[in-house]
Amino acid sequence: MKVPVRVAPSILSADFGRLAAEVAEVEAAGAEYIHVDVMDGCFVPNITLGPGMVAAVRRATKAVVDVHLMIVEPERHVAAFAKAGADIIAVHVEAARHLQRTLAEIRDLGKRAGVVLNPATPEEAVRYVLDDVDLILAMTVNPGFGGQRFLRATLPKIRALRRMIEDSGRAIDLEVDGGLTVETVPAVVEAGADVLVAGNAVFGEADRAKAIEALRAAVLG
Ligand code: DX5
Ligand code: ZN
């Protein structure tokens, strides 16, 4: 299946010392989303950033600010990320105890609600919240760090999620995150992904515009 893809550079691999310039650069290069990885040192081993950094990203761009919460008890923090200017707030099914309630709360805050699945979590975990989501994010690495190796075993799940979205008739983004490169993006897009998160593949390259172009060219095959 060939669908128009959107690219979501993950600022986790950017130079935080010049964050606004980094964000402006990828936006000018045509990135539709700016992916912001929030880690708490508890749900995942790493600690990254909070609402203050999301506000700084918001000031730096008109692109969609896509916040990926890798935190326990996300319901305690969604309002702060909404206030900081996130457009999409995505929570892990493994972390949200009352998932539907938290997703509904994100929408009540006027934001798009996203749900995230770890590599080992089956697609069935989102079946009964399809009414409440605007985006499903399938992790293609175990969350926590940039630059990890893509897990091919997630491909059948991406395909199953695409089928679930089509069957539902709803407009839901299917985003994938982790280990995406020019080598791995063709398979995820073929499986049905339409938003591609890329950290190292964009910010690890000196020419970010060229890197984004290379990802798009790889999926056009
Ligand atoms: C991983 C994060 C990713 C990460 C991707 O826990 O959710 O968004 O930044 O980085 P790459 O593209 O380098 O695998
Ligand atoms: Zn992420």
Side-chain angles (χ1 to χ4, degrees), residues 120-132:
T121 303
E123 65 275 12
E124 282 306 311
V126 300
R127 182 174 295 281
Y128 302 106
V129 291
L130 292 179
D131 277 344
D132 305 287

Side-chain angles (χ1 to χ4, degrees), residues 89-213:
I89 301 175
V91 298
H92 271 259
V93 300
E94 305 85 3
R97 195 185 296 268
H98 303 292
L99 181 61
Q100 191 279 334
R101 177 186 287 157
T102 304
L103 294 168
E105 198 184 325
I106 294 169
R107 281 191 171 168
D108 285 347
L109 290 161
K111 306 300 179 180
R112 291 162 68 189
V115 65
V116 195
L117 301 166
N118 275 338
T121 303
E123 65 275 12
E124 282 306 311
V126 300
R127 182 174 295 281
Y128 302 106
V129 291
L130 292 179
D131 277 344
D132 305 287
V133 298
D134 303 290
L135 172 142
I136 299 173
L137 169 50
M139 292 307 299
T140 43
V141 298
N142 290 292
F145 303 95
Q148 301 183 80
R149 201 168 55 82
F150 175 75
L151 297 171
R152 289 197 72 82
T154 58
L155 286 171
K157 181 168 63 181
I158 297 166
R159 212 164 273 132
L161 287 166
R162 168 53 63 195
R163 212 172 304 126
M164 214 185 269
I165 292 169
E166 297 302 319
D167 290 349
S168 78
R170 295 174 177 86
I172 299 173
D173 285 353
L174 181 50
E175 184 175 48
V176 286
D177 182 5
L180 299 185
T181 64
V182 289
E183 283 81 35
T184 56
V185 288
V188 294
V189 171
E190 195 274 328
D194 56 8
V195 184
L196 309 175
V197 176
N200 260 29
V202 170
F203 289 108
E205 299 293 326
D207 187 338
R208 280 75 195 264
K210 211 169 134 194
I212 291 172
E213 220 21 74

Side-chain angles (χ1 to χ4, degrees), residues 10 35-37 68 70 137 139 177 197:
S10 162
H35 187 81
V36 183
D37 287 305
H68 175 191
M70 286 159 277
L137 169 50
M139 292 307 299
D177 182 5
V197 176

